[in-house]
Amino acid sequence: MDFALSEEQSAIFDMAHAFGQEHIAPHARAWEAEGTIPKDLWPKVGELGLAGIYVSEESGGTGLTRLDATLVFEALSMACPSVAAFLSIHNMCARMIDSYGSDEMKARVLPKALSMDTVLSYCLTEPGSGSDAAALKTRAERNNEGYTLNGTKAFISGGGYSDAYIAMVRTGEDGPKGISTVLVEDGTPGLSFGGLEDKMGWRSQPTRQVQFDDCKIGAENLLGEEGQGFRYAMAGLDGGRLNIAACSLGAAQAGLDATLAYMAERKAFGKSIDQFQALQFRLADMEIELQAARVFLRQAAWKLDTGTPDAPKFCAMAKKFVTETGSNVVDQCLQLHGGYGYLADYGIEKLVRDLRVHQILEGTNEIMRLIVARQMLAA
Ligand SMILES: Cc1cc2nc3c(=O)[nH]c(=O)nc-3n(C[C@H](O)[C@H](O)[C@H](O)COP(=O)(O)OP(=O)(O)OC[C@H]3O[C@@H](n4cnc5c(N)ncnc54)[C@H](O)[C@@H]3O)c2cc1C
């Protein structure tokens, strides 16, 4: 058993970290205020091969492992978890096209997605179904040319911003077996968007409803087979959960680093506050929690890479554990900054707000427990 990162993995982390510090961190607050991420960031990300991290090399992707991807998202989140998490969704979609799209679709969509001249969004949730995603109601009726879509997707990251949407829609019976996955390109007649959601965190990412009103797409926009869409959507989520956990980890590490530096400077009762043993113990606890979270996350990623049968359970456990640890740590960081932690200038309150949603999306942490408990009971 070897816990060390390889030289190549350390280089991947360093490259993503350097990119984040140069191109994202200095602007993260402004982008949050503007409620959008400038589109000209993405081709720079694409140039580094970070738009198709685990898209096969054969399809023009980077062909890295899930473990490598967690390193990328941990490193980028040290600059801004909102921007990093948005990139994770794009990667999830690109991988779905690579895994399930026809050769024609791959040739048509992937080159621009991998250069990030186009950005992809993932549409599963609906106003009436989130955790119970298999209850989705958006219908896709088959006709001679393709499909006509009717329905609404809710909470879509990149809604009204992205260039194409991977949508889970109902082509058949109720339940998971009646669900298919389709690609809907921006500009398709009948595709429209709700108003910008006003959110607690992830404020640089535009979130909107995505609406289909007699929205017609060609048959060539079906991914894989009809009726398999729920399976495709769930397969995408195992890796998505690792990435989201990595985003919590990186942001919390950045928060802890900033807190250590702050505590060395800040004086109270005649000494710097890092000299109070009660506070040193809290720092030690945060370090222990983050290191445990990192090892657990990387183990789950390794299981997904090696295809162990318990990989989905480990991805769920890691998502739950790491996102809660991350939130606990940044909350402590805020406390250790005193009143300054509450001010936007210090960058800590943004982390508290951004990380909170990681416990809710890619499957809530209650659903993560459900996955774990089901597997325990089945065994
Ligand atoms: C900022 C943001 C961005 C998002 N981006 C996207 C996106 O890009 N694409 C997308 O498809 N979705 C996206 N989502 C949606 C997200 O995945 C859902 O919000 C999430 O899955 C929860 O669904 P829900 O909000 O309908 O809550 P519900 O499913 O209604 O859950 C409400 C509460 O009940 C609990 N609960 C539900 N069922 C059970 C159960 N069986 N046992 C125990 N507890 C249960 C939940 O854990 C939760 O605490 C986003 C959400 C947010 C907030």
Side-chain angles (χ1 to χ4, degrees), residues 160 162-165 184-193 215-217:
S162 292
D163 301 284
Y165 299 85
V184 185
E185 279 138 331
D186 189 35
T188 306
L191 172 67
S192 65
F193 306 98
C215 177
K216 292 187 172 48
I217 56 167

Side-chain angles (χ1 to χ4, degrees), residues 226-272:
E226 270 195 16
Q228 294 294 317
F230 195 69
R231 189 170 67 78
Y232 302 161
M234 292 302 115
L237 279 182
D238 277 338
R241 284 171 187 155
L242 295 176
N243 295 349
I244 274 300
C247 289
S248 283
L249 180 64
Q253 185 65 58
L256 180 54
D257 295 347
T259 302
L260 261 177
Y262 179 79
M263 289 172 71
E265 294 294 319
R266 180 69 180 170
K267 300 232 168 12
F269 301 96
K271 50 186 173 183
S272 60

Side-chain angles (χ1 to χ4, degrees), residues 297-320:
L297 173 64
R298 291 182 183 173
Q299 186 197 20
W302 172 79
K303 281 181 180 277
L304 193 59
D305 282 327
T306 49
T308 64
D310 57 0
K313 177 183 167 196
F314 271 78
C315 290
M317 291 199 293
K319 193 269 187 183
K320 188 251 172 216

Side-chain angles (χ1 to χ4, degrees), residues 71-268:
L71 303 176
V72 169
F73 291 107
E74 181 183 345
L76 288 177
S77 290
M78 298 182 84
C80 175
S82 168
V83 174
F86 191 75
L87 180 64
S88 162
I89 297 170
H90 174 89
N91 269 275
M92 185 162 73
C93 294
R95 168 60 182 243
M96 286 173 81
I97 293 171
D98 186 32
S99 299
Y100 310 115
S102 65
D103 288 345
E104 181 279 325
M105 182 188 283
K106 284 188 217 175
R108 176 164 47 103
V109 180
L110 276 183
K112 281 193 168 177
L114 296 178
S115 64
M116 284 201 92
D117 290 309
T118 58
V119 176
L120 307 173
S121 281
Y122 175 94
C123 308
L124 177 64
T125 307
E126 298 188 355
S129 59
S131 302
D132 186 11
L136 66 86
K137 288 196 160 37
T138 295
R139 279 219 75 89
E141 297 293 345
R142 188 81 169 92
N143 52 42
N144 285 341
E145 294 76 37
Y147 298 90
T148 302
L149 274 50
N150 276 291
T152 300
K153 295 292 176 183
F155 290 112
I156 303 308
S157 303
Y161 169 93
S162 292
D163 301 284
Y165 299 85
I166 302 276
M168 273 42 78
V169 296
R170 188 162 300 287
T171 47
E173 64 197 66
D174 284 352
K177 292 193 175 133
I179 296 173
S180 301
T181 301
V182 295
L183 177 83
V184 185
E185 279 138 331
D186 189 35
T188 306
L191 172 67
S192 65
F193 306 98
L196 190 67
E197 304 289 2
D198 190 2
K199 311 190 294 295
M200 173 183 181
W202 275 26
R203 291 183 69 85
S204 60
Q205 292 188 26
T207 307
R208 292 186 181 86
Q209 286 196 345
V210 172
Q211 295 149 353
F212 307 110
D213 298 295
D214 284 333
C215 177
K216 292 187 172 48
I217 56 167
E220 68 281 4
N221 277 13
L222 175 74
L223 271 81
E225 292 171 38
E226 270 195 16
Q228 294 294 317
F230 195 69
R231 189 170 67 78
Y232 302 161
M234 292 302 115
L237 279 182
D238 277 338
R241 284 171 187 155
L242 295 176
N243 295 349
I244 274 300
C247 289
S248 283
L249 180 64
Q253 185 65 58
L256 180 54
D257 295 347
T259 302
L260 261 177
Y262 179 79
M263 289 172 71
E265 294 294 319
R266 180 69 180 170
K267 300 232 168 12

